[in-house]
Amino acid sequence: MCVLVVLFTTALKAQQRDTAKARELKEVSVIAPKPVREITPGQKMQGKDLSRLNSLSVADAIRFFSGLQVKDYGGIGGLKTVDVRSMGTNQTGVFYDGIQLGNAQNGQVDLGKFSLDNMQEIALYNGQKSNIFQPAKDFGSAAAIYMTSLKPNFNTGESIHLKGTIKTGSFGLFNPSLLWQQKISNKVSASFNTEWTNANGRYKFRSRKDDGYDTTMIRKNGDINALRVEGGLNGVLNGGEWSTKLYYYHSERGLPGFVANNVFRHVDRQWDRNFFVQSSFRKDITPRYSLLLNAKYADDYTRYLAPDTAALYVDNHYHQHELYFSVAQQYALTTWWNLGLSADFQWNKLNADLRDFAYPTRYTTLVAAASAVYFRRFSAQASVLATIVNETVEKKTAATPKREYTPSLFISWQPFTTPAFRLRAFYKRIFRMPTFNDLYYTDIGNSFLNPEFATQYDAGFTWTTTFSNKIEAGIETDAYYNEVTQKIIAVPTVNQFRWTMMNLGLVKIRGIDVKAKANWQINAVGVSTRLTYTFQKAQDYSDPTSGFYKDQIVYIPRHSGSAIIGTDYKKWTANYSLLYTGERYNGKDNVPENYMQPWYTSDFSIGRILQYKRLNIHLTAQVNNLFNQYYDVVLNYPMPGRNYKFIIAVNI
Amino acid sequence: MQKLLAFSIVIFIGCRKGDKIVPPVVTPVDTATITSPVNGFYLLNEGSMGTNKASLDYYDYNTGLYKKNIYPSVNPTVVKELGDVGNDIQVYGSKLYAVINVSNKVEVMDAATARRIGQIDILSCRYITFANGKAYVSSYAGPVQQDPHSPAGYVAEIDTATLQITNKVTVGYQPEEMAVVNGKLYVANSGGYSVPNYDSTVSVIDLTTFQEIKKIDVAINLNHLKADSDGDIYVTSRGDYYNIPSSLSVIDTKTDAVKKKFDIAASNLCISGDTAYIYSSIFSYLTNTWAVSYNMINVKTETLLSGNFITDGTEKTIKMPYGVAVNPVNKDIFVTDAKDYVSSGTLYCFDKTGKKKWSVTTGDVPGHFAFVLARK
C-alpha cells in the first residue's frame, strides 16, 4: 500500500444537451427564492451522494469538496471547522436552512455538531451564492456553506413518512435517530427529527518514529453525549412559500486535549446548549416584485471546565443571544435584468463570568444592493454590501463603530454555441469582523482591532456532457488568487501564556480547484464517481524580516484531493472513498521540526436494501481508514485508525 | 459520428515516507576555541504550549558549531521527545537537568552527551536549583489551603544521586525561580493564578530543617530570582500589566529584608561578576503597546549603570528578548529573541563590549541556558 494510483477515465462527447445544467437549476435549495439563476453554481452534494458516504457529520462529508481543509481535532466529539481556500475559518459563513449560524464569541461553527442524518444538501459557494434575491448576510462572507435539511415531499396518496436509524460501531457509538414527516394539508407539512449521540470516544492511536520510539495508546476523555431535536412547518403559498423551524442541541463532552511527552490524558470538559427559532417567508407579490422575509432568535450557552488544579483551574460560562431580521426584495426590470435590495439587522450579546468581563453588545446593519443581467450566453451580477457595526460594553472600552462598503462581481460566459462549456469569473472584497473574543476576552482581547479583509479573484470553466444517455460527466476547474490583509492573529505580550490580538497578518494565496464527476449506467450497474483535486500555495507575507517570510502557512497542504466511487446493483450498494492530504507544516517556519507527513484514508461501505411489506430496510456496514493509517490533522491531536460502523435504517 | 474525448485524471499518491527522527541542524557560527575552559552551553527552547516542541540546542566552543535540536537523535526511543514547554535548565555535577513544565517532569541527562538518564515526575514544575548534592524544584501543585481550586506551591527536595524526591515544603502561590544563599533557599512566589490577588512574597526555607522560616513581602507577581556573590538576592516583579509596573528588588540575606528597589522594568536578569544584565519586555493592556529596554546594574555598589549592554544597535532587530546569559569566563553576552513565540527564535552572541559576534536560528521560544565547564 505504498503507491496507490486511481486512474479515472471518462469519455465525454461534445454537443450534447445541457442536462446537467438543467438539473442544477431544478435542485435549488428549499428556502432559496425563485427564480434562482445562479451565475456560478456552487459545489454540492445531496441526496444519494450524501447518504453513500454514511458519514456522521456534515464535517465528515464536506471533506470531499475541493478547495477547503477541515481542521479536525479528532474523534466523534472533536471540533471540526472548515477553512475555505486558506482564508481562515472565520471568513467562512455557515447557513442552515437559509439563515446564517452565528457565533459572535469566536466566529467558529463546529460542523461536527451538524448531523448528516437529516441533511438534504450541502453546498459550498466561493465568494457568495451568486443570486441577487437573498438576505444581505448572504453577501457577507468570503465563502459560504449552505446546509439544507430534508424537506417533506409527499407523493400522491402519502401523508406520513417515518424513518428510524440506528448507527453503532467503534468509539462505543450508539446513535439512534427518528425522522417524522407529516402532511397536514395540501399546502402545509410538518417535520420532526431527533437524534441522540452517545459514545465513549475511545480509540487506539499509534505514535512512532523510524528507528525510534513506537507506542500505541488509547485516546481518552473523548466521550460525548448529545441530543438534537428539531422540528418545523413548511408551507406553500400562491407564488411563494414559508417555513418555520425550531432547533435544540444539548451536549456534554470530554475534551481529550493534546498528546505530549508524559501527557496522555486531559480532564477538561465542555457543555453546550444551542437553541434557535427561525422563520422565512417568500412571495412573488407581483410578476415583477418578489419579497423574502427572514427572522431568527438564537440562544447559545457554553460551559468550559478545566478541573485540574495542578494546572490553572477554570470554570467559565458563556451565554450568547442573537436576534436577526432580514428583508430582501427583487424587482425584474425586464426579462433579462433584475435588481435586488436587501437589508438585515442583527443584535448580539455575550455574557461571561470572566474576571473584568466587558459584556459586549453588537448591533449590525447590513444593506446589499445588487443587480443581475441574464442573456443566453452571458450573465453577470454586481453587488455592493454596506456593513455598519456599533458596539457597546459595560466595562472597559468598546470598539469604535465600523462602516465598510464591499463590492463583488460575478460573470459567466458561454463562448461556443454549446452550453456544455462555460467560462466564469468573480471578484469579491469582503471582511470579517473581529469576534467578541478577539476584542474583549479578558487579558487577551484588543478593542483597537480592525476588520480582517479578504480579496478574491477567481476564473474557471465548467464542462458537462452526456454520452449515449448512459454516461453523464462534468468537470469544473477554477484558478484563484486571494489576499487576506490585516489578518487578526494572536501575538504574545510578556510571555507565551499571555497573548493579545493584532491586525498583523498578510497572506497571499494562489490555488487551483478541480472537480470532476461522472455517472455511468452499465446494464443493471450504476456507477457514480467524483474526484477533486486542490492545489494551494498560501504564503505568509506578514513580515519580510521574519524567518518564515513567504513560507506556506500552517496546516495548508500544497496538494490535496479526494475520490468517491459508488455503485448500485439491484438492491446492493457499495461505496469507496479516498481522502488525500499532502505534506504540510504545523508551524510558521517550513523547517523539518514542523513537517507533517501526508495522510490518506480509504473508507469502504456495503449496503443492502430489504423490502418487507411496507417496510423499507437499509443495512450498511462500513470500515473507515481501511489501511489503519495513523495521522494527525492538527498537531498532537491523533486521529483514529481503522474503525467500523453499522447502520440500520427503517423507512415506513 | 461521435467525437470522443477522453481524459484522465490521475491522483498519484506518493510513497508515505517513514516518519524519521529529525536530525540536528548544525551551523558553524564561530571559530573553534580548543582550550576554552567552557566546553559549551545548552539552550533550552520552551516551545509553545501544546506543541510538544520543547527542544535542546548545544553550542560547542571546541568546534564552533551550533547544533539545533539535539535531543531526538541522542534519545530516539523516548516517546514524544523532550516534551511540552521547557522552563528551566541547569548543569549540576555530571548531570543536566531540564524542567519540562507541561510534561510535569524534570528530564535528567548526562551533561556531556545529553543522553537521558531518567526523569523525576513533578506536576507543574517550574525551576530548579542545587545545593549540597540536593536538587530543589519549585512546583505550582502543592496542597490546597483556602481556595479548593487554587493550591499553594511547594518545593521538592531531590537526591541527585538517586533522583528520588526526599522531602517537600509548602511555599507561596505559583512559586517560580529560586536561589540558595548561606544554607537558605529563597523562592519567588508569583500568585499568577489568583489574579488580581497576586502573591508578593519571597519564601525563605531553612535547608537544614527544610521548613519555611519567613515570607518576605517584596512586590506582586514575582518571577526571576538571582543571587550575587555578596549575599544579596535580586528578584523581578512583573507588575499587573495594567497600573502596577514591573520592578526589581534587592533582598539582603543577612537580614532577610528588602534593602533596595529599582524602579526599572525587569523581565529577566543574569548576574556575572559585579554586573547584572537586565532586559525587559513590558506590555501594557491599557495602551496595547510594548516597551523593550536593556539595563545594567553594578551589584557591588547597587547602582544603575548608564547605557545598554548591547552597544552596536543590534537590539533594534530583537523583537522579543526572552533570555540572557553571560559566559562566566570570557564574559560574552547571550540574548535570545523569542519573536512571536510560535516560530523559530534567534540567539545572539555579543562580546563583553556589546558588539555582536554571531547569531543563529534556534528552536521555538528560546529562553534558558546552562554552561558546561571543562573538567579539570
Side-chain angles (χ1 to χ4, degrees):
Chain A
M1 185 39 216
C2 184
V3 177
L4 176 64
V5 179
V6 177
L7 186 67
F8 170 66
T9 312
T10 51
L12 298 177
K13 192 188 137 203
Q15 295 175 335
Q16 277 287 333
R17 215 164 39 82
D18 187 11
T19 49
K21 184 93 190 154
R23 210 176 42 252
E24 288 279 307
L25 291 180
K26 219 166 53 189
E27 73 189 17
V28 159
S29 64
V30 186
I31 301 291
K34 188 180 82 155
V36 171
R37 290 200 271 183
E38 289 174 355
I39 289 168
T40 58
Q43 264 186 89
K44 285 170 193 162
M45 211 186 268
Q46 56 203 142
K48 202 167 181 179
D49 285 344
L50 272 186
S51 60
R52 273 179 202 290
L53 292 175
N54 297 303
S55 301
L56 279 182
S57 74
V58 169
D60 293 337
I62 210 163
R63 297 183 300 169
F64 293 95
F65 282 31
S66 77
L68 58 77
Q69 302 299 321
V70 172
K71 202 172 177 189
D72 187 344
Y73 286 80
I76 290 178
L79 175 68
K80 294 167 178 62
T81 58
V82 172
D83 182 353
V84 178
R85 291 186 170 179
S86 308
M87 292 181 290
T89 319
N90 284 305
Q91 293 278 5
T92 304
V94 181
F95 295 75
Y96 190 27
D97 283 344
I99 299 185
Q100 192 170 8
L101 294 162
N103 188 343
Q105 185 189 343
N106 63 24
Q108 295 195 333
V109 177
D110 182 359
L111 289 179
K113 280 185 188 167
F114 290 89
S115 171
L116 270 194
D117 187 60
N118 69 327
M119 236 26 108
Q120 177 166 311
E121 179 184 273
I122 305 170
L124 167 71
Y125 293 87
N126 294 109
Q128 69 205 25
K129 198 195 275 182
S130 50
N131 163 24
I132 63 165
F133 185 34
Q134 60 188 6
K137 273 234 146 182
D138 295 51
F139 295 87
S141 42
I145 293 166
Y146 286 82
M147 304 184 291
T148 308
S149 65
L150 284 169
K151 187 189 170 189
N153 189 4
F154 296 100
N155 292 326
T156 32
E158 287 182 336
S159 63
I160 185 168
H161 287 160
L162 273 176
K163 184 187 176 191
T165 308
I166 293 175
K167 295 178 184 175
T168 184
S170 305
F171 318 111
L173 175 71
F174 180 63
N175 177 212
S177 69
L178 177 73
L179 176 70
W180 173 28
Q181 297 177 328
Q182 180 74 48
K183 189 172 176 179
I184 293 172
S185 72
N186 279 338
K187 292 196 163 179
V188 181
S189 60
S191 66
F192 173 82
N193 176 235
T194 184
E195 178 177 17
W196 179 38
T197 307
N198 187 284
N200 62 34
R202 287 200 189 149
Y203 55 86
K204 263 200 273 188
F205 67 95
R206 183 176 176 186
S207 192
R208 65 171 298 279
K209 293 278 180 189
D210 283 3
D211 306 318
Y213 63 85
D214 185 350
T215 184
T216 301
M217 287 166 279
I218 305 276
R219 195 87 168 116
K220 287 178 187 155
N221 199 42
D223 59 294
I224 181 163
N225 188 24
L227 176 70
R228 178 177 58 84
V229 182
E230 52 192 293
L233 294 170
N234 290 282
V236 287
L237 303 163
N238 193 12
E241 62 185 350
W242 60 271
S243 68
T244 188
K245 180 181 183 79
L246 281 162
Y247 176 95
Y248 177 80
Y249 177 88
H250 185 108
S251 69
E252 176 184 349
R253 70 189 70 203
L255 301 173
F258 59 84
V259 171
N261 171 281
N262 219 26
V263 182
F264 301 108
R265 186 154 187 219
H266 293 258
V267 292
D268 301 5
R269 299 198 74 72
Q270 183 176 308
W271 290 259
D272 287 287
R273 194 183 65 221
N274 307 100
F275 167 78
F276 68 75
V277 52
Q278 67 182 37
S279 298
S280 184
F281 168 90
R282 178 184 61 77
K283 189 167 164 61
D284 299 330
I285 308 290
T286 72
R288 285 175 181 274
Y289 178 74
S290 307
L291 180 68
L292 169 66
L293 301 174
N294 282 303
K296 178 175 181 173
Y297 169 73
D299 180 308
D300 298 303
Y301 163 84
T302 299
R303 177 185 175 204
Y304 169 69
L305 175 68
D308 181 6
T309 54
L312 179 60
Y313 177 90
V314 178
D315 186 4
N316 289 333
H317 304 73
Y318 303 91
H319 204 156
Q320 292 190 69
H321 304 271
E322 178 177 307
L323 261 176
Y324 170 73
F325 302 99
S326 167
V327 182
Q329 312 159 83
Q330 175 174 258
Y331 187 76
L333 278 178
T334 65
T335 53
W336 53 270
W337 188 7
N338 288 2
L339 298 177
L341 183 66
S342 16
D344 295 8
F345 174 77
Q346 184 172 304
W347 171 84
N348 290 93
K349 172 107 187 86
L350 173 64
N351 296 328
D353 53 358
L354 298 172
R355 176 183 51 82
D356 290 334
F357 192 65
Y359 298 94
T361 305
R362 173 178 288 179
Y363 307 88
T364 311
T365 307
L366 302 118
V367 179
S371 179
V373 290
Y374 306 93
F375 301 103
R376 199 172 60 84
R377 286 171 60 174
F378 177 81
S379 49
Q381 177 198 315
S383 64
V384 62
L385 173 69
T387 309
I388 300 156
V389 182
N390 288 290
E391 288 177 17
T392 60
V393 290
E394 289 173 28
K395 264 190 186 174
K396 300 194 278 194
T397 320
T400 52
K402 307 284 187 298
R403 185 184 288 250
E404 302 289 350
Y405 301 93
T406 46
S408 71
L409 176 68
F410 289 75
I411 55 173
S412 171
W413 177 44
Q414 177 194 317
F416 310 115
T417 48
T418 167
F421 183 75
R422 282 189 91 88
L423 295 170
R424 63 189 185 189
F426 79 83
Y427 158 79
K428 181 168 182 173
R429 180 169 159 79
I430 193 64
F431 65 94
R432 68 119 170 153
M433 277 298 290
T435 65
F436 280 158
N437 279 357
D438 295 338
L439 294 163
Y440 304 115
Y441 197 92
T442 302
D443 283 351
I444 293 174
N446 172 5
S447 59
F448 303 109
L449 285 176
N450 290 315
E452 170 188 306
F453 280 85
T455 309
Q456 304 176 73
Y457 306 87
D458 173 291
F461 70 88
T462 60
W463 189 3
T464 53
T465 190
T466 60
F467 171 59
S468 308
N469 290 326
K470 292 240 171 98
I471 301 172
E472 298 172 357
I475 185 164
E476 288 181 39
T477 299
D478 283 87
Y480 59 87
Y481 172 71
N482 299 339
E483 262 186 30
V484 181
T485 53
Q486 299 204 61
K487 193 173 170 75
I488 297 171
I489 56 174
V491 292
T493 58
V494 289
N495 62 49
Q496 64 156 309
F497 300 103
R498 300 185 73 89
W499 297 79
T500 190
M501 308 306 294
M502 293 269 166
N503 290 102
L504 277 179
L506 170 59
V507 182
K508 296 183 182 179
I509 304 136
R510 293 164 180 88
I512 295 168
D513 293 352
V514 181
K515 291 145 260 179
K517 230 170 139 174
N519 294 321
W520 333 51
Q521 192 67 45
I522 308 160
N523 300 326
V525 182
V527 180
S528 149
T529 49
R530 198 183 156 100
L531 287 174
T532 68
Y533 167 76
T534 303
F535 169 82
Q536 287 178 96
K537 193 172 169 191
Q539 295 170 283
D540 190 332
Y541 277 79
S542 307
D543 179 2
T545 68
S546 70
F548 50 84
Y549 184 61
K550 294 191 185 177
D551 278 2
Q552 183 86 348
I553 62 171
V554 175
Y555 293 132
I556 301 296
R558 281 282 174 93
H559 307 282
S560 56
S562 70
I564 301 174
I565 302 169
T567 58
D568 301 302
Y569 174 71
K570 294 181 179 167
K571 296 195 166 179
W572 291 90
T573 59
N575 195 66
Y576 169 79
S577 58
L578 170 83
L579 278 171
Y580 172 79
T581 297
E583 58 186 32
R584 63 230 179 278
Y585 292 91
N586 58 43
K588 288 186 175 184
D589 298 275
N590 293 177
V591 296
E593 292 93 321
N594 297 334
Y595 175 85
M596 288 178 95
Q597 283 196 297
W599 59 267
Y600 35 94
T601 55
S602 291
D603 300 346
F604 181 74
S605 68
I606 188 155
R608 167 92 166 118
I609 296 164
L610 302 172
Q611 198 75 38
Y612 181 75
K613 290 183 181 166
R614 277 192 64 211
L615 296 181
N616 174 300
I617 302 164
H618 199 155
L619 299 171
T620 309
Q622 184 177 36
V623 53
N624 294 312
N625 197 354
L626 188 63
F627 299 105
N628 202 28
Q629 191 177 85
Y630 290 99
Y631 64 103
D632 288 8
V633 175
V634 178
L635 177 66
N636 300 326
Y637 285 80
M639 300 291 291
R642 187 184 301 122
N643 62 85
Y644 305 92
K645 193 154 51 192
F646 304 96
I647 305 167
I648 176 165
V650 180
N651 282 283
I652 301 171
Chain B
M1 292 292 279
Q2 287 185 342
K3 191 173 162 189
L4 281 173
L5 241 172
F7 65 94
S8 319
I9 295 165
V10 178
I11 293 182
F12 175 76
I13 293 164
C15 237
R16 185 159 131 132
K17 287 171 274 183
D19 206 353
K20 297 206 164 47
I21 299 273
V22 179
V25 177
V26 180
T27 315
V29 293
D30 203 352
T31 49
T33 343
I34 310 293
T35 55
S36 168
V38 179
N39 275 344
F41 63 83
Y42 289 99
L43 174 67
L44 179 64
N45 301 288
E46 294 187 358
S48 289
M49 188 176 170
T51 61
N52 196 45
K53 284 186 193 168
S55 65
L56 200 57
D57 300 349
Y58 185 71
Y59 175 65
D60 187 346
Y61 279 98
N62 298 309
T63 60
L65 298 177
Y66 190 86
K67 292 183 182 174
K68 177 187 161 202
N69 190 30
I70 61 170
Y71 186 91
S73 46
V74 176
N75 302 288
T77 57
V78 178
V79 175
K80 298 292 269 181
E81 301 88 27
L82 186 55
D84 199 35
V85 188
N87 203 60
D88 196 12
I89 189 163
Q90 301 287 339
V91 170
Y92 186 71
S94 63
K95 294 191 187 105
L96 174 69
Y97 298 79
V99 182
I100 313 298
N101 176 225
V102 178
S103 288
N104 301 310
K105 66 162 188 182
V106 178
E107 180 80 7
V108 185
M109 294 160 278
D110 175 47
T113 61
R115 196 169 302 283
R116 177 184 160 97
I117 295 169
Q119 74 178 39
I120 306 156
D121 288 306
I122 298 176
L123 284 178
S124 284
C125 45
R126 298 290 296 169
Y127 286 89
I128 191 165
T129 193
F130 301 88
N132 308 320
K134 303 279 194 203
Y136 299 96
V137 176
S138 58
S139 160
Y140 284 3
V144 163
Q145 291 178 330
Q146 285 109 23
D147 181 350
H149 297 146
S150 177
Y154 74 96
V155 174
E157 180 193 77
I158 295 143
D159 184 328
T160 56
T162 63
L163 305 182
Q164 298 300 310
I165 296 174
T166 48
N167 213 340
K168 286 182 183 179
V169 60
T170 303
V171 295
Y173 288 92
Q174 290 83 48
E176 302 286 6
E177 200 168 20
M178 300 160 292
V180 174
V181 180
N182 294 330
K184 289 185 284 188
L185 177 74
Y186 293 80
V187 187
N189 299 310
S190 70
Y193 283 179
S194 3
V195 180
N197 305 311
Y198 290 103
D199 204 327
S200 60
T201 62
V202 167
S203 292
V204 186
I205 313 295
D206 180 341
L207 288 184
T208 48
T209 61
F210 211 55
Q211 297 291 317
E212 184 183 71
I213 52 172
K214 190 172 182 184
K215 272 198 166 111
I216 309 167
D217 196 27
V218 182
I220 64 157
N221 202 3
L222 302 176
N223 184 16
H224 287 287
L225 185 151
K226 311 276 183 187
D228 70 6
S229 52
D230 306 332
D232 287 339
I233 295 278
Y234 283 74
V235 56
T236 66
S237 157
R238 289 179 278 210
D240 70 352
Y241 316 106
Y242 287 89
N243 297 310
I244 303 172
S246 166
S247 62
L248 178 66
S249 298
V250 188
I251 295 168
D252 184 338
T253 60
K254 293 176 195 74
T255 60
D256 284 341
V258 177
K259 68 167 169 180
K260 181 146 189 172
K261 186 178 175 195
F262 291 95
D263 286 322
I264 58 165
S267 295
N268 197 358
L269 75 162
C270 172
I271 298 174
S272 183
D274 294 341
T275 311
Y277 300 81
I278 303 153
Y279 72 81
S280 78
S281 52
I282 299 300
F283 180 80
S284 167
Y285 284 99
L286 298 176
T287 57
N288 269 61
T289 52
W290 283 266
V292 173
S293 63
Y294 300 87
N295 283 298
M296 283 183 289
I297 284 174
N298 181 319
V299 296
K300 275 270 182 301
T301 60
E302 285 153 26
T303 49
L304 193 62
L305 301 173
S306 63
N308 179 344
F309 56 84
I310 302 169
T311 54
D312 62 355
T314 304
E315 72 273 17
K316 291 186 194 75
T317 62
I318 301 177
K319 293 194 178 84
M320 190 67 62
Y322 200 66
V324 60
V326 177
N327 179 316
V329 177
N330 71 6
K331 302 291 178 190
D332 278 356
I333 306 160
F334 297 91
V335 176
T336 58
D337 184 355
K339 299 179 180 173
D340 62 1
Y341 293 67
V342 285
S343 60
S344 303
T346 302
L347 169 66
Y348 292 90
C349 173
F350 302 94
D351 67 19
K352 59 186 172 192
T353 69
K355 302 271 191 298
K356 181 177 150 186
K357 288 171 82 172
W358 49 266
S359 66
V360 68
T361 300
T362 66
D364 295 2
V365 199
H368 311 278
F369 295 85
F371 287 92
V372 183
L373 301 180
R375 291 290 181 114
K376 286 173 190 112

